[in-house]
Amino acid sequence: SQVSGLLICARIAFGREMLNDADRLDQILHWCDEHGVERAGVKIESRPGRGRCLIAPRSCSEGDRLLLIPSGASLTDAEEDGRANHVMLGLAHLLVKLSAAGSSELSPYVCFLLEESRPPQTLEEHMKLPTAAGVFAQLRFDRNRQFVDKLCLANADLSRDEAARAVEAVNNRAVYCEKQKVCALPIFDMMNHDPQPNARWTMHDTRSVEVVANRPISAGDEVCISYGDEPNSELFISYGFIVATPGPHLCVDLKVSLHPPEAQQYGSNATAQLRVLANGGVKFRSALAPLITGARAFVKLRGPGDDVGGRRAAEIVVAHAVVRCARAEQEGWLRVLATSSDRDSIAPLVECNVAALLAIVGRVEEWLGSSEDTSLMSVLSAAPVETTDHESTSSSGPGSDANNHDAAD
């Protein structure tokens, strides 16, 4: 099996005799079978809008096993030699090392990962996104570039394109797990995301990974797990898709400064980042605390008043700040849409974010125009958004900076 595996690796990665998708997939599935992967509960299909994904070949009940990947068929940074000071970089080092050596039982899977991965072409454009989204894209771009630099420094014969492929394979194909930090899992890495997943996964003490049904699944249904509850902006930057159905992804991070830059004559300018939900509520109201504290100090400097009046005045200052910053953020997203070279791709994200920003402005302006004795904090509260519980041992399922969504490829 090692000889046949090396032939696969040589043809894909080194011989440049490129296999078509079907042949490449057939060969890696054969490799999985040889290495004890139990995959009777899933089959692989390509579906419009979903890319390559896992499908239930027959109906199953809650708790039924769908997929089992033994430790011998997985890649983990625990096998790296310690050159990396970041778990994702450690796995990228391992991919490069095994690809160059071509003599490991894992080499065919490594070659499959590298051949399937393409460095992202849009991160520089994503850095132009407003505030929090642009900062996230910038951090991701800087980290990727730093990883590529370190891989090339450690491997003199490695091109930057090859290093970027290794980094992207880890970004989009690996999963973070508390027990093994970062690992790549064949077939598992083809599962797409759903905010209400029908499957969950667990890594056992043996390092094997098991996927079971979260609820009854009908034959032909796609098998999905949760990548986490990140905002749509982060999903879009990382994987190129958003989730438009109701749920935790329909939110936008809004940076609020108590005063505009030209009007900071009253001491320090308090700032906060609010996660604004689709209905205009704020997910974590405690994030408002720095603004409230800063506004109270501002009101006292303007002139002392009674406690009740002072609290109301402070909340009014915060309310105006929220409206001002939300409108500026909305204008930023609309500018992005107007100037984007790929309007069709980014339009759904802009629509979702603008809707949330309009909703919070509506809530706050209604409160400003009301004479009722209701606090701003209570007005910005929202019924908790139902979040997913995939009951895995991961602190992030495939999605939080290290996982796959084929529809984004």
Side-chain angles (χ1 to χ4, degrees):
S1 64
Q2 185 169 351
V3 173
S4 65
L6 292 177
L7 288 174
I8 299 170
C9 193
R11 291 184 68 192
I12 293 177
F14 307 120
R16 297 304 174 194
E17 180 186 342
M18 307 305 288
L19 303 179
N20 62 41
D21 285 348
D23 287 343
R24 191 162 64 237
L25 186 59
D26 283 345
Q27 291 197 340
I28 200 63
L29 289 178
H30 177 68
W31 178 86
C32 287
D33 293 339
E34 289 183 330
H35 287 75
V37 175
E38 298 179 21
R39 57 186 182 91
V42 295
K43 64 178 181 178
I44 301 170
E45 285 187 8
S46 292
R47 291 189 170 182
R50 301 296 287 173
R52 188 186 291 152
C53 54
L54 299 190
I55 306 299
R58 58 181 179 274
S59 297
C60 59
S61 303
E62 180 179 354
D64 285 356
R65 175 187 288 176
L66 304 173
L67 180 65
L68 179 70
I69 302 107
S71 60
S74 67
L75 281 165
T76 173
D77 65 306
E79 299 172 37
E80 175 53 16
D81 58 15
R83 287 177 296 174
N85 58 4
H86 189 289
V87 290
M88 292 177 63
L89 180 56
L91 186 54
H93 269 298
L94 181 62
L95 289 176
V96 170
K97 182 169 68 176
L98 293 178
S99 175
S103 58
S104 167
E105 283 285 339
L106 292 167
S107 294
Y109 177 45
V110 170
C111 295
F112 180 79
L113 282 177
L114 295 177
E115 184 60 35
E116 293 275 297
S117 298
R118 297 288 187 277
Q121 303 297 317
T122 55
L123 272 181
E124 291 191 44
E125 183 170 340
H126 291 164
M127 288 188 287
K128 301 174 186 177
L129 297 178
T131 55
V135 169
F136 178 82
Q138 179 73 60
L139 291 173
R140 188 176 175 89
F141 177 83
D142 291 344
R143 189 201 62 195
N144 286 357
R145 183 172 56 185
Q146 181 185 52
F147 285 179
V148 168
D149 290 343
K150 290 186 175 182
L151 286 173
C152 290
L153 184 63
N155 303 272
D157 296 331
L158 190 69
S159 71
R160 293 193 66 84
D161 180 70
E162 290 167 334
R165 279 179 180 243
V167 171
E168 193 61 13
V170 176
N171 280 340
N172 282 345
R173 295 282 181 172
V175 61
Y176 179 82
C177 177
E178 292 174 354
K179 292 183 179 180
Q180 289 295 334
K181 296 184 179 177
V182 174
C183 55
L185 305 163
I187 302 180
F188 179 100
D189 59 16
M190 299 178 194
M191 276 190 290
N192 283 331
H193 166 76
D194 194 298
Q196 296 182 333
N198 57 10
R200 64 183 186 272
W201 65 278
T202 304
M203 176 172 277
H204 300 296
D205 292 336
T206 59
R207 283 177 50 198
S208 64
V209 171
E210 182 180 27
V211 180
V212 300
N214 230 4
R215 57 178 182 267
I217 302 175
S218 300
D221 285 354
E222 184 178 355
V223 176
C224 296
I225 53 176
S226 170
Y227 289 8
D229 294 340
E230 288 77 11
N232 268 328
S233 296
E234 294 186 12
L235 291 178
F236 181 77
I237 292 166
S238 298
Y239 313 111
F241 72 92
I242 72 165
V243 179
T245 53
H249 306 295
L250 286 181
C251 61
V252 58
D253 286 336
L254 172 66
K255 183 178 180 181
V256 178
S257 56
L258 200 57
H259 311 291
E262 68 275 9
Q264 297 181 24
Q265 67 270 35
Y266 293 101
S268 62
N269 189 20
T271 61
Q273 185 160 298
L274 311 181
R275 180 150 294 179
V276 181
L277 305 176
N279 60 11
V282 174
K283 185 172 184 179
F284 305 109
R285 287 188 300 160
S286 59
L288 288 161
L291 298 174
I292 297 293
T293 300
R296 285 176 177 170
F298 171 71
V299 168
K300 285 183 179 180
L301 283 171
R302 285 198 311 184
D306 63 273
D307 288 343
V308 174
R311 285 197 298 271
R312 174 75 180 182
E315 289 190 333
I316 289 174
V317 171
V318 174
H320 284 298
V322 169
V323 169
R324 169 176 47 81
C325 294
R327 284 177 172 162
E329 181 84 0
Q330 175 190 344
E331 291 172 2
W333 283 105
L334 292 175
R335 269 196 308 274
V336 165
L337 180 61
T339 59
S340 175
S341 60
D342 189 6
R343 289 170 59 93
D344 291 342
S345 174
I346 202 168
L349 174 64
V350 173
E351 181 181 348
C352 290
N353 288 351
V354 167
L357 294 166
L358 287 172
I360 193 172
V361 168
R363 280 197 186 207
V364 174
E365 288 187 332
E366 183 178 356
W367 176 82
L368 284 169
S370 172
S371 59
E372 295 182 10
D373 186 20
T374 306
S375 72
L376 180 64
M377 294 278 276
S378 63
V379 166
L380 290 180
S381 66
V385 175
E386 183 180 351
T387 58
T388 55
D389 180 9
H390 46 83
E391 298 180 15
S392 79
T393 56
S394 69
S395 54
S396 67
S400 83
D401 210 28
N403 303 288
N404 169 61
H405 190 291
D406 277 1
D409 292 345

